[in-house]
Amino acid sequence: MFITLLVLGVVVGSVYVYRQVVVKGKQCTSKAKLNGRTVIVTGSNTGIGKTTAIDLAKRGARVILACRSRQRGEAALADVKRESGSSQVVFMQLDLGNLKSVRSFAENYLRSETRLDILINNAGLYMQGRTEDGFGMMFGINHVGHFLLTNLLLERLKACQPSRVVNVSSMAHNFGKIDFECLTQHKALGLGTSFSEVLRVYSDSKLCNVLFTHELAKRLQGTKVTCYSLHPGAINSELARNTSSLLHILLKPITTFFFKNTVQGCQTTLHCALQEGIEPLSGRYFSNCTVRDVYSKAKDDAAAKKLWELTERMCGLA
């Protein structure tokens, strides 16, 4: 009986420590006010994007909710305004899986808004398929759409410097690999549809985010525009909404108890967007509000440059 109670105590204690250290994690400590500043948050109708938008609006920023679905975006607009107490929140339609939509968004934005101080590329997708332009879904939305958006808005960011670009990636990038032959031939990171193959493609797309940030920082040297990529943590959000119902049921106890909620999950995004003094760390990768070292493949200069140039051609910038 004593041994059983001891083991139970150790298990409960370990779970408590895990929840306090890993699940709860660090918080963004910046007290920055953003009155007069403008921020774009993609995919801000749900999850950590929406929670990020609420925090930034509370700080006084003009926040642009850049979302694909008008219905969900306008519902989120009402929520963000109500929860932040701010009227300086705007919905603008953006479909990252359609390059025409990305260009239209950028044109409308540059015509209607005078500032851009922070661009948060938060939107992400976990599913196979093809975008409107024929790209693999996760390559097209998680990487290409954000690549084009960032480049189209770069001059406005420079005009408002010091400014920042924040790319939400994932620790899954550690398991990724860029298959340039597959990209060139099929405009996709991978073609498989099994669970392991889809997870691998998602990891590949997250590696693209980190390499994009690495190369972007090099190209921004000499300016006061800085950029960061990050792992937000394992989030109990809608990222996996396109997976099977059975998987949802099986994962529910795990995601509820062991994953971060959206407030906990947006802290590293806020840290990268707001924290004073991290400008010398432009191009670096953060997790739990702390800069982290990455594997050599995630800071490979040649691979980052090759991915940039290939993406430029694919989205018509080259």
Side-chain angles (χ1 to χ4, degrees):
M1 183 66 176
F2 174 75
I3 298 297
T4 301
L5 290 174
L6 180 62
V7 171
L8 182 61
V10 169
V11 171
V12 171
S14 299
V15 170
Y16 175 79
V17 170
Y18 177 85
R19 283 184 61 81
Q20 289 298 110
V21 175
V22 179
V23 177
K24 185 176 180 182
K26 293 183 179 180
Q27 290 189 310
C28 172
T29 58
S30 174
K31 305 299 183 185
K33 296 297 181 184
L34 299 174
N35 301 85
R37 307 285 185 87
T38 302
V39 184
I40 293 174
V41 186
T42 69
S44 43
N45 61 288
T46 188
I48 61 173
K50 183 177 177 181
T51 311
T52 300
I54 291 169
D55 185 285
L56 298 172
K58 285 181 177 178
R59 294 171 185 264
R62 180 172 175 79
V63 180
I64 311 300
L65 308 180
C67 316
R68 181 183 61 82
S69 167
R70 177 167 294 279
Q71 181 180 1
R72 288 162 63 91
E74 290 179 345
L77 176 64
D79 290 343
V80 175
K81 282 184 173 181
R82 184 183 66 254
E83 294 184 40
S84 67
S86 171
S87 61
Q88 289 298 301
V89 187
V90 178
F91 164 71
M92 292 182 66
Q93 195 164 23
L94 168 66
D95 182 354
L96 289 161
N98 184 329
L99 297 186
K100 184 178 179 181
S101 173
V102 177
R103 291 182 180 278
S104 177
F105 173 91
E107 289 171 9
N108 292 337
Y109 183 87
L110 295 173
R111 185 168 54 246
S112 62
E113 299 289 335
T114 58
R115 297 193 62 85
L116 179 55
D117 300 274
I118 306 171
L119 170 60
I120 300 179
N121 291 320
N122 164 83
L125 186 80
Y126 182 90
M127 66 177 293
Q128 283 287 56
R130 290 283 174 176
T131 69
E132 293 279 342
D133 305 285
F135 297 111
M137 193 74 79
M138 286 184 276
F139 176 63
I141 291 176
N142 296 358
H143 172 64
V144 179
H146 280 134
F147 177 93
L148 178 59
L149 178 68
T150 303
N151 276 280
L152 293 176
L153 297 176
L154 211 48
E155 290 306 311
R156 183 59 55 86
L157 284 160
K158 290 177 181 177
C160 298
Q161 58 188 336
S163 53
R164 296 185 182 185
V165 178
V166 179
N167 295 318
V168 179
S169 181
S170 166
M171 69 173 296
H173 84 272
N174 290 317
F175 310 105
K177 179 182 179 182
I178 310 300
D179 184 342
F180 285 104
E181 183 176 344
C182 186
L183 277 182
T184 302
Q185 291 185 9
H186 304 289
K187 296 171 56 173
L189 291 160
L191 305 175
T193 57
S194 71
F195 176 81
S196 62
E197 289 169 324
V198 175
L199 181 59
R200 177 60 182 268
V201 173
Y202 176 76
S203 301
D204 296 345
S205 74
K206 295 290 101 179
L207 178 57
C208 287
N209 296 153
V210 180
L211 288 171
F212 168 46
T213 307
H214 180 76
E215 179 66 15
L216 179 62
K218 290 180 175 297
R219 293 171 183 255
L220 289 173
Q221 287 178 359
T223 74
K224 291 184 179 180
V225 184
T226 54
C227 57
Y228 315 91
S229 63
L230 66 100
H231 169 57
I235 314 295
N236 188 9
S237 71
E238 294 186 22
L239 176 64
R241 60 184 175 271
N242 297 300
T243 56
S244 71
S245 299
L246 176 60
L247 188 60
H248 273 285
I249 294 170
L250 293 174
L251 290 177
K252 187 66 176 177
I254 298 172
T255 58
T256 300
F257 199 74
F258 291 103
F259 282 25
K260 294 177 183 287
N261 61 37
T262 57
V263 173
Q264 295 162 341
C266 76
Q267 295 304 308
T268 304
T269 300
L270 293 171
H271 178 85
C272 291
L274 303 172
Q275 187 62 45
E276 301 83 354
I278 64 170
E279 291 81 3
L281 299 174
S282 183
R284 300 287 299 278
Y285 170 83
F286 286 73
S287 177
N288 199 24
C289 298
T290 305
V291 67
R292 306 287 188 184
D293 289 327
V294 294
Y295 292 132
S296 57
K297 65 181 177 181
K299 55 183 177 182
D300 183 321
D301 290 338
K305 185 172 184 288
K306 186 174 182 178
L307 177 64
W308 181 288
E309 292 174 347
L310 178 61
T311 312
E312 265 189 330
R313 293 194 298 274
M314 285 180 163
C315 61
L317 287 178

